[in-house]
Amino acid sequence: MWSTRVILLVGHVLAAVLLVGPATVAASAFPRQVRAGSAGEQAALGAARAFHRITRSYGTASVAVGAVGVALAAESDWWSATWLQVAIALYIAGLAVLLGAVVPLQGRLLAHAERAEPVAAPLVGRLHAATGAYAMSWLAVLVLMVAKPW
């Protein structure tokens, strides 16, 4: 019989793969498509819309990764582990960057592209930086979850 800990661990990893992965890929693919869409490529504009929707919805749903992670930490009595505390801080920071910077910047750029206006290079640069920070936070969390260094 599977223990509660194993079920929570499988749920946590599954949620990360199914929610964080697609949000990260969609966020990374968005800038190229929105630039092409603003130049009149309708297929690229449709792709940019889809990537924005995926980033927003899967990113928001990735709160489930943290919720299951908290339940797993409670079940496993890992609260005092430094690696877990750092991972939680990085998770919160990554989610804040995604929902507070990436998604709004995508929305602004998409609005420009839908009006066939050129997308502003500084906005695209900020989006690239925010998306990179978001992806790096998840990479760091992954390393901490696997290595458990402290």
Side-chain angles (χ1 to χ4, degrees), residues 15-101:
V17 169
L18 295 178
L19 299 172
V20 175
T24 304
V25 170
S28 298
F30 176 86
R32 181 176 186 193
Q33 298 302 317
V34 79
R35 279 190 300 246
S38 71
E41 292 182 33
Q42 289 304 307
L45 186 57
R49 284 186 191 115
F51 288 142
H52 177 58
R53 204 171 34 255
I54 291 166
T55 303
R56 185 183 61 240
S57 60
Y58 281 62
T60 302
S62 70
V63 168
V65 176
V68 176
V70 165
L72 176 60
E75 176 71 20
S76 304
D77 197 29
W78 288 335
W79 289 117
S80 62
T82 304
W83 64 267
L84 178 66
Q85 295 168 3
V86 172
I88 289 171
L90 287 169
Y91 166 79
I92 292 168
L95 197 57
V97 167
L98 178 72
L99 299 177

